[in-house]
Amino acid sequence: MAGDANHTDTAERPARTDGGEETPTDGPTADGGEESSLITYGIEDRPPFAQSLGLGLQHYLTMVGANIAVPLILAGAMGMPDQFVPRFVGTFFVVSGIATLAQTTLGNRYPIVQGAPFSMLAPALAIVGVVVANPPGGGVEAWRAALLQLQGAIVVAALFEVAIGYLGLVGRLRRYFSPVVIAPVIVLIGLTLFTAPQVATATQNWPLLLFTFGLIAAFSQFLGDRSRAFQLFPVLLGIVVAYVVALVLSAAGVYAPGTPGFVDLVPVVEAPLAVAIYPLQWGVPQVTTSFVVGMLAGVVASIIESLGDYHAVARLSGVGAPSEKRITHGIGMEGLANVFAGLMGAGGSTSYSENIGAIGLTGVASRYVVQVGAAAMLVVGFFGPFGALIASIPDPVVGGLYVAMFGQIVGVGLSNLKYVDLDSQRNLFVLGVSLFAGLFVPEYFGNVAAAAPDGVGGAAFFAQSMAAVPALGPVLGADVVANTVFVVGSTGISVGGIVAFTLDNAIPGTDEERGLAEWAETAEADEDFASAYDRFVRAD
């Protein structure tokens, strides 16, 4: 087991509450990690409430694009009537707030925002497509029937995630995840949105995107030492300034309606003031076995991504790599949050990479900050105009944010290679092949989906294609196998992680060569992490 018995929990370090500067250090921290000189607020620090509220809002602004995109994509695929969309979007924010509070308080206790996962979007769209194409009748609208089937699949698949997490199955694999495996996983997390329409659409408003990115870069990299506001709020300031500019240009007629950069405030004015959000608000979830199996593939992809997120946030927060115990409680809590998301009618819940990038840019790794932001999101989720206002942020502004945030995450992934022997041919082979596989395999499955005839989903078309292969047909042609392979194969993080894990543990290499020896010196030991049971039950 990594670490030693002399480590002390980071919770024992007095929390900062005065808003003062953190003393820069580059030496080992109390828990065996390396504290970064860029950390302004550590995990246990508690900035003043007003400052924490702004910092928490900033954390959430980094993920609003994704947390708005997922419900809007699902609503469009289901054909959900417009009057229900604000409530549907608000549900995702309420679930995000509660899931984040649960994870930061009772789960892994890392400052990671929880939100709607893209890794579960592919099976969700497949479920919706099947139900909408074959509505059940009996007076139940097709969109509601699709949503209830989606809820049932998420709840049952999440129960498996709860078992996988709390039984420690993922945590026990931790010893097999060297920096050679974790580095490409985190890099691929950072590369997930390089093809997103907010970044690479053919009609992109490049001046506004580059203006947004330039603001964030200027505030975080060039002006941070001139003003504490620039140092702490580069993302928030960048988005607000870019949004105001886009709003002015839209009002002046420079940006026409329907063009990238146009800000439409009509939906904000017309949104209901309050929306009722509660469990089973859409009805009782329905369970279909084939849909559950497809969603399980999305859950597996989500777990792999979360494992990379845990290592990334630990690295940025200046603490040791997560222990088996912390991983166990983190994945288990994500499973419970997914069960809750399914009961509420959201599209799932997982750790969000976006706010990890914000930690890298701002140096704010405070758990308290994320909890304050989560509480705020929980409240405003019931406020209709808020969701509409967030949805009005133009895609080029979101694109500029993505370039800054996800570029930062790529850098964090590469920084894990400091522990690895980069003169080793086997390490370079594992890194190169896993990164390449994480890019080309999803591209292949994307092309398969694009080639599918109308009315035939990507997974179904893949199954049909594989059924014609003499040796593989009986296996890959089966719906259950095809759905799993298609969903996992469409997720670059999963592909890269599986390939890196397999090659790194199959190809001979010493612990020193793979970075395990040096990493073990800074890794967190199980006794360093106090779970909710340790703190609230055993303490009594």
Side-chain angles (χ1 to χ4, degrees):
M1 182 60 60
D4 59 70
N6 292 325
H7 287 164
T8 57
D9 195 300
T10 52
E12 295 176 5
R13 179 166 62 91
R16 290 180 53 224
T17 60
D18 58 0
E21 292 286 349
E22 190 75 27
T23 303
T25 62
D26 270 318
T29 62
D31 65 350
E34 275 189 17
E35 184 164 335
S36 170
S37 60
L38 301 179
I39 293 297
T40 303
Y41 290 116
I43 291 179
E44 301 296 334
D45 292 332
R46 296 167 63 93
F49 177 77
Q51 190 179 91
S52 294
L53 184 61
L55 292 170
L57 176 62
Q58 178 172 247
H59 270 285
Y60 264 85
L61 277 177
T62 64
M63 51 80 76
V64 292
N67 214 41
I68 287 283
V70 172
L72 292 182
I73 290 171
L74 288 174
M78 290 185 291
M80 178 181 283
D82 291 342
Q83 66 265 30
F84 294 110
V85 173
R87 180 174 160 194
F88 191 49
V89 172
T91 299
F92 278 71
F93 278 99
V94 170
V95 168
S96 173
I98 293 177
T100 301
L101 288 172
Q103 186 68 278
T104 55
T105 305
L106 306 174
N108 60 32
R109 307 193 72 220
Y110 276 144
I112 308 180
V113 171
Q114 308 292 296
F118 274 103
S119 53
M120 294 169 65
L121 184 59
L125 290 174
I127 293 170
V128 168
V130 170
V131 178
V132 170
N134 304 278
V140 180
E141 306 100 316
W143 70 268
R144 190 181 296 272
L147 181 52
L148 293 179
Q149 287 286 354
L150 175 59
Q151 289 182 245
I154 290 174
V155 169
V156 178
L159 291 175
F160 283 93
E161 185 177 16
V162 173
I164 290 171
Y166 285 119
L167 288 176
L169 300 182
V170 179
R172 289 170 192 163
L173 291 175
R174 171 187 173 275
R175 69 198 66 181
Y176 300 105
F177 283 89
S178 75
V180 180
V181 177
I182 293 300
V185 169
I186 298 176
V187 168
L188 288 167
I189 290 173
L191 294 177
T192 50
L193 293 184
F194 79 97
T195 60
Q198 293 93 337
V199 176
T201 183
T203 58
Q204 180 60 270
N205 183 336
W206 284 106
L208 184 56
L209 183 149
L210 293 175
F211 176 65
T212 305
F213 170 75
L215 287 172
I216 296 174
F219 291 140
S220 65
Q221 305 300 319
F222 298 101
L223 302 176
D225 57 347
R226 298 188 180 184
S227 169
R228 188 164 178 77
F230 294 156
Q231 179 187 21
L232 294 176
F233 301 100
V235 177
L236 181 61
L237 291 172
I239 292 177
V240 170
V241 172
Y243 182 87
V244 170
V245 169
L247 181 62
V248 170
L249 293 177
S250 298
V254 177
Y255 294 156
T259 62
F262 179 76
V263 178
D264 184 8
L265 293 180
V266 173
V268 180
V269 177
E270 296 180 346
L273 185 61
V275 290
I277 298 171
Y278 50 89
L280 306 180
Q281 57 188 318
W282 312 107
V284 179
Q286 304 296 308
V287 178
T288 301
T289 302
S290 60
F291 293 161
V292 171
V293 173
M295 188 55 67
L296 274 173
V299 167
V300 170
S302 172
I303 289 173
I304 295 174
E305 180 177 0
S306 293
L307 190 62
D309 287 339
Y310 296 173
H311 282 82
V313 76
R315 180 96 176 111
L316 281 170
S317 302
V319 298
S323 65
E324 177 180 324
K325 188 177 178 182
R326 191 186 292 269
I327 291 172
T328 291
H329 284 271
I331 299 300
M333 182 55 69
E334 287 196 21
L336 291 176
N338 265 320
V339 172
F340 175 70
L343 294 175
M344 292 291 289
S349 177
T350 191
S351 295
Y352 252 45
S353 308
E354 284 87 337
N355 89 292
I356 297 174
I359 292 174
L361 287 176
T362 65
V364 178
S366 166
R367 180 193 305 118
Y368 176 72
V369 162
V370 172
Q371 290 171 332
V372 170
M377 290 303 105
L378 173 58
V379 173
V380 300
F382 294 93
F383 183 60
F386 173 79
L389 179 65
I390 295 299
S392 71
I393 299 177
D395 280 353
V397 174
V398 176
L401 170 69
Y402 282 173
V403 172
M405 295 291 98
F406 283 83
Q408 177 78 19
I409 293 171
V410 171
V412 173
L414 294 175
S415 71
N416 282 275
L417 298 179
K418 67 178 286 186
Y419 303 109
V420 173
D421 180 5
L422 291 178
D423 290 326
S424 166
Q425 190 274 337
R426 61 89 65 191
N427 285 347
L428 297 180
F429 180 82
V430 173
L431 291 168
V433 172
S434 58
L435 284 171
F436 192 77
L439 294 174
F440 92 81
V441 173
E443 183 70 15
Y444 161 74
F445 282 107
N447 291 335
V448 169
D454 292 340
V456 179
F461 185 59
F462 173 70
Q464 294 173 9
S465 302
M466 291 298 102
V469 180
L472 301 177
V475 178
L476 292 180
D479 288 343
V480 170
V481 178
N483 287 336
T484 301
V485 172
F486 185 85
V487 171
V488 174
S490 299
T491 309
I493 302 160
S494 300
V495 174
I498 292 170
V499 171
F501 179 85
T502 302
L503 293 178
D504 186 49
N505 287 281
I507 301 173
T510 66
D511 286 353
E512 288 75 15
E513 187 179 13
R514 299 166 60 196
L516 284 170
E518 187 174 351
W519 204 0
E521 296 176 4
T522 61
E524 175 185 54
D526 273 349
E527 56 266 27
D528 293 334
F529 173 70
S531 67
Y533 176 81
D534 296 330
R535 290 179 290 120
F536 300 123
V537 179
R538 186 177 294 175
D540 294 336

